[in-house]
Amino acid sequence: MSSIYSYRKDLELVDIRSFEEIFSYEKEGTVVLYSFMSFDLEAVVDELKKLKKSGYMVVAGGPHATAMPQQLLNLGFDYVFVGDGEENIRKFIDGKFPENRIYDGITKRVVLSDYPPFCPEKSLYMPIEITRGCPFSCGYCQTPRLAGKLVRHRPIEQIVEYSKIGVENNRKIARFISPNSFGYGSKNGVTPNPEAVDTLLYNLKKVGVEEIYFGTFPSDVRPESVNEEILKVIKKYVNNKYIVIGAQSGSERVLEMIKRGHNLEEIERALSLLKEYDFIPRVDFIFGFPFETDEDIEKTFEFIKKIVNKYKAKVHAHTFMPLPGTPLANIGPGVLTKKHYKFLGLLTSQGYLDGYWLKQEQLARRVADVNSSSPI
Ligand code: SF4
């Protein structure tokens, strides 16, 4: 396994807390790195203008950069990184620049274990990314485009090795990043591999991790991946009472349109098992797809009432955002109706619902503007 320790000792990596702090660094030899979501574009461009005016080199990576690299070059970024960044950022630092100023981390994906999951030397700790890549193609999601469709798992030994470093530095809580944590160690990213998960969680405890959060944000779970074997395993180790599970709609028609790859029966099967194993299902729903009919909305509300009553589920609500680079990028922003406000407001007041759905309604309009004003 290679490590950033052995890479470049002359490199100083700084995690900036405020924008103004950047200007305390000389422009010569400083590179400002951005990774951001599409709805933050406006704010980032404001900062970019100030940085360029002061002569800094500015580069971008992450979900929006992967979806719209040329747009970012046109806006003034010096270089853009799409897809996996680990290998390309090293090329950049070594002065190897591509002619078109776009570093391609999509056609050549990295092996996760060749790179550390975080940088303890600079006190940059993160939840550990245990799996990258998702084989599904949900129409609203940027992940398969950013991370690829091929499922790549970080080896258990490396996760444990870095968690141990974390523990030695008083980071005793383990959280993970995965598009589907119950698929960790599996060939297809979906069918659970309980032995792998057991070995992972057992060894984390062994090196001194005191609390484990698995199957919660940002390591959510697909309904198909919930089975008795995996629940028995995680029950032994985890501190979370909730499991975050993606449903997204209570209408079969909408599930098909957004290409979720599961139906309502599969969601209920998963919720029933979660209840049996004494986990509270925290279920993600997306509201306001522009193609939703009144009937779809009613079906979703009925389904939510059912799962709240029958499985004691909590709802995590989102408003649809047409993210660039996704199949649903050009259908317009999510639209909430009076019915949505009434129903979601009621569930919120009863303590069954949370989420940033109101804020996301505004963000969705901003994202739609980004799509329509794109210069590419
Ligand atoms: S929503 Fe989840 S399952 Fe669907 S494509 Fe995105 S990461 Fe994969």
Side-chain angles (χ1 to χ4, degrees), residues 134 136-138 140-141 143-144 179 222 260:
C134 178
F136 294 94
S137 304
C138 304
Y140 53 86
C141 177
T143 298
R222 293 257 328 169
R260 270 296 288 174

